[in-house]
Amino acid sequence: MKYAWIALLVAGLFEIGWPVGLKLAQTPGRLVLGVVLAVACMAASGLFLYLAQRTIPMGTAYAVWTGIGAAGAFVVGVLAYGDPANLARLAGVGLIVAGVAVLKLAS
């Protein structure tokens, strides 16, 4: 069970990588690198989600996976790309993180 949650965490971290790759692909001269990064992260994310779902219920695994990806992409966007981080957006991400924590505690 413990390894399933580690696999799910890894899947969520790779889930952050594909929107970063797509953003990178928008940079002149970085199209191929960005697309390769995005596709590789999608594949790795899917593989680790598959491994996690062997033990963790599908709905829980999917919600945690997307939550890690959404919150992580938000943080990367703010730190690396200057995305806005106003109070409402921070509260929204806080709610996502709280939801993921509740799902983990309830399993």
Side-chain angles (χ1 to χ4, degrees):
M1 181 75 156
K2 175 182 168 183
Y3 295 109
W5 283 99
I6 292 170
L8 187 56
L9 175 64
V10 172
L13 294 174
F14 276 115
E15 185 69 3
I16 298 166
W18 73 263
V20 172
L22 294 178
K23 185 68 173 175
L24 180 64
Q26 297 172 13
T27 304
R30 302 286 177 141
L31 175 65
V32 173
L33 175 63
V35 170
V36 168
L37 176 64
V39 171
C41 286
M42 284 179 197
S45 181
L47 172 65
F48 282 99
L49 178 62
Y50 162 78
L51 295 172
Q53 284 183 339
R54 291 169 148 181
T55 306
I56 301 170
M58 181 186 69
T60 300
Y62 182 74
V64 170
W65 176 64
T66 58
I68 293 169
F74 173 82
V75 169
V76 171
V78 168
L79 296 178
Y81 295 103
D83 290 354
N86 59 44
L87 185 58
R89 288 173 51 89
L90 291 169
V93 169
L95 289 170
I96 291 169
V97 171
V100 167
V102 168
L103 285 169
K104 168 63 174 122
L105 291 173
S107 352

